[in-house]
Amino acid sequence: MAFLMKTMISNQVKNLGLGGGSEEKKEEGGASDPAAAHGMSREEYEEYQKQIIEEKMERDAAFTQKKAERACLRVHLREKYRLPKSEMDENQIQMAGDDVDLPEDLRKMVDEDQEEEEDKDSILGQLQNLQNMDLDAIKEKAQATFSEIKQTAEQKCAVM
């Protein structure tokens, strides 16, 4: 119990800076070099720092590229649906170097959608839609709707 109290009190005193830890501070003062603190030589530490900076630059470049691809997708969708342009998206594309395209899988999806829309918009596509219609079912549904409306009107209106 006495040991526990002593360690708790000495830790609190060390944290306050009132002494008790001056021997440890002197020992730590000799290792002010960051390379020695990491257990490396100076050359190894510099190489390590260069490697970290290069990796960070690669990550930033990949992130910028992804942001530009997303912006390109948004621009494409805005053009497709005739929405107003966004200045922020255009700036992101320019920051990436203007060599940004849609990712391959999205490009395939967009191309398929465009082909389907072109087929539907063509005269042949309209004719195929006419052939696929069930005119009898449409006629029956129209007559049923008309009779329902007529019946509702007769219930609500005393003149009819």
Side-chain angles (χ1 to χ4, degrees), residues 5 27 45 68 108 111 118-119 123-124 141 143 148:
M5 290 298 288
E27 291 174 8
Y45 185 73
K108 289 178 185 176
D111 290 341
E118 288 173 1
D119 289 342
I123 294 172
L124 293 175
K141 186 167 183 165
Q143 286 177 347
E148 284 179 22

Side-chain angles (χ1 to χ4, degrees), residues 16-81:
L16 292 174
L18 298 175
S22 59
E23 301 89 22
E24 291 178 16
K25 288 183 181 178
K26 289 178 184 176
E27 291 174 8
E28 290 176 8
S32 64
D33 187 26
H38 288 286
M40 301 180 205
S41 69
R42 188 155 201 63
E43 295 82 23
E44 289 174 339
Y45 185 73
E46 288 174 1
E47 185 65 30
Y48 174 71
Q49 290 297 325
K50 286 180 187 177
Q51 187 178 15
I52 288 175
I53 291 171
E54 288 174 5
E55 289 174 357
K56 183 181 184 312
M57 290 174 59
E58 289 174 6
R59 283 193 312 269
D60 289 345
F63 180 70
T64 303
Q65 181 71 21
K66 288 289 185 184
K67 282 179 71 173
E69 287 177 358
R70 289 186 211 114
C72 185
L73 177 65
R74 287 191 297 269
V75 166
H76 177 75
L77 290 173
R78 283 190 178 99
E79 288 174 1
K80 180 178 179 181
Y81 296 111

Side-chain angles (χ1 to χ4, degrees), residues 13 27 32-33 50 52 71 88 104 112 119 131 147 155-156 160:
V13 172
E27 291 174 8
S32 64
D33 187 26
K50 286 180 187 177
I52 288 175
M88 184 178 68
E104 274 306 309
E112 290 172 2
D119 289 342
Q131 290 175 353
S147 63
Q155 291 174 354
K156 290 186 178 180
M160 295 184 92

Side-chain angles (χ1 to χ4, degrees), residues 4 8 14 17 24 33-34 41 56 65-66 71 80 86 93 105 108 114 116 127 130-132 144 146 155:
L4 181 64
M8 288 176 54
K14 288 178 188 176
E24 291 178 16
D33 187 26
S41 69
K56 183 181 184 312
Q65 181 71 21
K66 288 289 185 184
K80 180 178 179 181
S86 171
I93 293 171
D105 51 350
K108 289 178 185 176
Q114 284 179 347
E116 288 176 11
L127 289 175
L130 288 176
Q131 290 175 353
N132 293 337
F146 181 72
Q155 291 174 354

